């Protein structure tokens, strides 16, 4: 890849359709060689952000810069970016080599040089022997590799990926997540990845930008978002869990606070000062909850629960338990012998739950 400034910066970017706001004041950056995933449910605005970076849509306000230069208002052909689409958008009448070389040819590169660049990029994705194949003869995973090679062939400052693995079977998708992220990091390709798949975002991205209702809820590393969600939406969208109303039983110290809830009390992590008696919102994730038959341990945090549902998949057991009017989930490795209606106590992982403190 060329040694140029490949940083992407969005500053207070909005997109409106009349009175409807699709994206509202979104600001974040993607550093040179970084992979940032924009994650969110349908209608969150993530694809609108991608299309504004690619020039298919123009921002109603705000600025977008690539390599320090504003691209707001420019048409796609004037923006140094390439897109890998979910449906690959390959040309069925061209063979693999010509598909990959199409971009360089459109940039006035000679046919021989375009073919050379296409072969280099096919080698990068492990398809150097497939140049003469028709794209209709390829599997879904192979077509995705060709689409990636075609995007890389123009050496874009920014690579845009729009649900690139969404059409693939699970096993192929998991393998390509590892292969693609390793390739993009090795080539130091600045990448903006749009996906609704949390596993894909966690596996591929250096940082994740979570969007909801057109707004950026939080951006950070996968571990930061999962361990320290700043909003209730982020906390339940990533990994799930139960949010409980609580009261601080004592003043926080050393990043921990004792939380009293209607179903019991337990320690929580907190990253700010919490005075005694303060009202809290506490996130308890399924992996924080260990279950045991009622009355078998004196150190249980939650007592007198009842199993509402059990789902075993062989690798783990997900159990839904009711404690009065409150329902929580437990996720434990292996096969657990539990049945609906069983009386259950629960032990909460020490300093596992987290107090949600909204930023700002």
């Amino acid at each position: 890849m060329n040694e140029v400034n490949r940083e992407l910066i969005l500053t207070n970017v909005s997109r409106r359709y009349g009175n409807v706001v699709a994206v509202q004041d979104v600001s974040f950056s993607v550093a040179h060689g970084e992979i940032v995933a924009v994650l969110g449910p349908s209608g969150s605005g993530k694809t609108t952000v991608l299309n504004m970076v690619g020039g298919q849509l123009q921002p109603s306000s705000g600025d977008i810069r690539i390599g320090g230069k504003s691209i707001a208002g420019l048409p796609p052909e004037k923006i140094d970016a390439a897109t890998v689409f979910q449906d690959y958008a390959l040309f069925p009448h061209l063979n693999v080599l010509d598909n990959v070389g199409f971009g360089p040819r459109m940039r006035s590169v000679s046919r021989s040089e375009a073919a050379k660049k296409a072969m280099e990029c096919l080698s990068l994705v492990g398809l150097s022997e497939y140049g003469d194949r028709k794209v209709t003869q390829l599997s879904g995973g192979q077509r995705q590799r060709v689409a990636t090679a075609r995007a890389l062939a123009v050496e874009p400052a920014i690579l845009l990926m729009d649900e690139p693995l969404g059409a693939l079977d699970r096993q192929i998708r998991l393998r390509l997540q590892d292969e693609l992220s390793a390739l993009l990091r090795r080539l130091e390709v600045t990448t903006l990845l749009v996906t609704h798949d949390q596993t894909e975002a966690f596996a591929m991205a250096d940082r994740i930008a979570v969007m909801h209702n057109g707004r950026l809820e939080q951006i950070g590393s996968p571990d930061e978002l999962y361990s320290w969600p700043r909003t209730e939406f982020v906390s339940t969208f990533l990994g799930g869990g139960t949010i409980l109303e609580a009261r601080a039983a004592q003043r926080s110290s050393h990043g921990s606070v004792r939380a009293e809830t209607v179903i019991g009390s337990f320690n929580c992590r907190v990253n700010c000062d919490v005075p005694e008696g303060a009202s809290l919102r506490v996130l308890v994730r399924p992996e924080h909850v260990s279950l045991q038959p009622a009355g078998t341990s004196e150190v249980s945090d939650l007592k007198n629960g009842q199993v509402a549902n059990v789902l075993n998949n062989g690798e783990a057991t997900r159990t839904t338990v009711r404690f009065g009017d409150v329902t929580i989930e437990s996720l434990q490795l292996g096969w657990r012998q539990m049945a609906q209606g069983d009386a259950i106590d629960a032990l909460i992982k020490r300093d596992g739950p987290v107090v949600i403190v909204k930023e700002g």
Side-chain angles (χ1 to χ4, degrees):
M1 306 299 288
N2 294 333
E3 291 299 324
V4 297
N5 184 348
R6 300 177 183 275
E7 183 180 31
L8 170 66
I9 301 175
L10 289 81
T11 305
N12 300 124
V13 173
S14 297
R15 172 69 187 188
R16 293 180 289 275
Y17 298 92
N19 294 326
V20 178
V21 180
V23 171
Q24 181 69 43
D25 290 329
V26 169
S27 298
F28 66 88
S29 64
V30 185
H32 180 110
E34 185 181 29
I35 303 173
V36 170
V38 182
L39 179 67
S42 297
S44 62
K46 58 186 185 296
T47 300
T48 301
V49 168
L50 188 85
N51 288 337
M52 285 191 287
V53 175
Q56 289 82 14
L57 291 174
Q58 301 303 323
S60 302
S61 59
D63 192 25
I64 302 173
R65 291 180 174 268
I66 295 177
K69 298 179 180 179
S70 177
I71 57 97
L74 295 181
E77 62 271 17
K78 297 293 185 180
I79 298 174
D80 193 1
T83 304
V84 179
F85 299 98
Q86 181 176 356
D87 61 0
Y88 317 129
L90 300 174
F91 300 117
H93 62 288
L94 299 180
N95 64 20
V96 168
L97 187 67
D98 288 340
N99 262 281
V100 178
F102 180 82
R105 289 284 291 136
M106 291 299 99
R107 298 191 178 193
S108 301
V109 174
S110 69
R111 184 174 296 276
S112 61
E113 285 298 315
K116 180 180 178 181
K117 172 58 70 173
M119 284 301 300
E120 290 174 357
C121 291
L122 284 175
S123 178
L124 287 173
V125 297
L127 294 179
S128 56
E129 298 179 359
Y130 286 71
D132 293 333
R133 296 274 187 98
K134 295 180 179 179
V135 294
T136 54
Q137 296 175 314
L138 303 180
S139 67
Q142 290 168 340
R143 293 184 189 187
Q144 199 282 334
R145 287 187 175 94
V146 172
T148 302
R150 184 178 64 178
L152 294 176
V154 298
E155 298 189 2
I158 305 296
L159 180 65
L160 306 176
M161 308 190 82
D162 187 8
E163 304 278 2
L165 307 180
L168 301 176
D169 293 337
R170 181 176 182 272
Q171 291 301 322
I172 297 174
R173 188 167 65 246
L174 293 177
R175 185 175 73 247
L176 284 181
Q177 286 171 5
D178 292 337
E179 291 180 5
L180 277 178
S181 58
L183 174 64
L184 297 176
R185 288 187 174 90
R186 178 161 60 87
L187 298 177
E188 296 185 349
V189 180
T190 306
T191 304
L192 187 64
L193 164 70
V194 162
T195 181
H196 69 278
D197 188 324
Q198 297 177 29
T199 301
E200 186 174 301
F202 272 68
M204 295 184 65
D206 299 302
R207 290 187 299 147
I208 300 173
V210 180
M211 292 195 64
H212 179 51
N213 289 337
R215 293 182 177 274
L216 179 64
E217 290 270 327
Q218 186 176 350
I219 184 169
S221 68
D223 177 66
E224 177 186 350
L225 292 182
Y226 192 83
S227 300
W228 294 103
R230 293 179 186 149
T231 69
E232 292 188 16
F233 174 79
V234 174
S235 70
T236 53
F237 184 68
L238 298 179
T242 302
I243 295 178
L244 299 174
E245 299 284 352
R247 185 186 70 86
Q250 60 191 44
R251 190 180 184 87
S252 62
S253 61
H254 305 295
S256 178
V257 64
R258 188 75 177 173
E260 291 183 345
T261 75
V262 294
I263 59 174
S265 61
F266 42 83
N267 283 358
C268 299
R269 293 174 294 119
V270 64
N271 59 2
C272 64
D273 184 54
V274 176
E276 184 176 351
S279 297
L280 307 174
R281 299 280 281 173
V282 174
L283 170 67
V284 182
R285 294 204 184 276
E287 62 269 24
H288 296 156
V289 184
S290 297
L291 302 179
Q292 51 208 7
T296 58
S297 174
E298 296 182 358
V299 296
S300 299
D301 298 302
L302 313 180
K303 296 182 180 295
N304 303 317
Q306 187 177 56
V307 174
N309 189 50
V310 180
L311 179 62
N312 290 304
N313 67 5
E315 296 177 344
T317 302
R318 184 178 290 269
T319 309
T320 304
V321 183
R322 292 194 184 97
F323 290 90
D325 295 329
V326 177
T327 299
I328 65 171
E329 284 191 325
S330 171
L331 183 65
Q332 297 176 278
L333 293 177
W335 191 280
R336 304 288 172 164
Q337 296 297 331
M338 297 181 187
Q340 186 175 3
D342 284 355
I344 288 291
D345 292 342
L347 183 67
I348 304 300
K349 180 180 178 181
R350 183 171 180 81
D351 296 334
V354 60
V355 174
I356 300 169
V357 181
K358 189 170 183 178
E359 188 181 47

